[in-house]
Amino acid sequence: MPNSEIIEVQRIVSVLRRKVAALRLHFGDVPDVRRLLNDVERLDIDVNELRGNTSRPRREPQLAEVVMIPDAPYNPDLWHGADDEGVGGYRRQTG
């Protein structure tokens, strides 16, 4: 079953490649079309990698270790001299 699904996805990616090529003829080599072409290439690569993985046994996902974060506030000294990300240093230290 998975192999037939992969073949179908490959066929669809092939159709998509032709449609994006038609868009390129219509709109030219603009960034939007180049991104679409790149996306189609990525899809093709991923499908081919999946096809290579169909013979391998599936691994069960590993459970991540749960890290408990306390609700208590952090020590304010921890943030001494730090700027808020993206604000650009509005609390810059002098001296």
Side-chain angles (χ1 to χ4, degrees), residues 58-66:
R58 267 177 60 177
R59 293 184 307 177
E60 291 299 318
Q62 299 292 324
L63 294 177
E65 180 183 343
V66 176

Side-chain angles (χ1 to χ4, degrees), residues 52-73:
N53 289 334
T54 56
S55 60
R56 297 181 194 160
R58 267 177 60 177
R59 293 184 307 177
E60 291 299 318
Q62 299 292 324
L63 294 177
E65 180 183 343
V66 176
V67 177
M68 298 303 292
I69 299 174
D71 289 332

Side-chain angles (χ1 to χ4, degrees), residues 15-70:
V15 170
L16 184 59
R17 184 186 312 280
R18 289 193 302 274
K19 298 298 181 180
V20 172
L23 289 174
R24 187 177 191 181
L25 288 175
H26 181 75
F27 291 104
D29 191 31
V30 296
D32 299 334
V33 174
R34 285 196 304 266
R35 277 193 303 273
L36 286 171
L37 286 168
N38 188 24
D39 292 343
V40 172
E41 281 299 315
R42 185 69 241 172
L43 285 170
D44 192 38
I45 290 168
D46 290 342
V47 171
N48 284 324
E49 286 180 2
L50 273 178
R51 189 173 197 167
N53 289 334
T54 56
S55 60
R56 297 181 194 160
R58 267 177 60 177
R59 293 184 307 177
E60 291 299 318
Q62 299 292 324
L63 294 177
E65 180 183 343
V66 176
V67 177
M68 298 303 292
I69 299 174

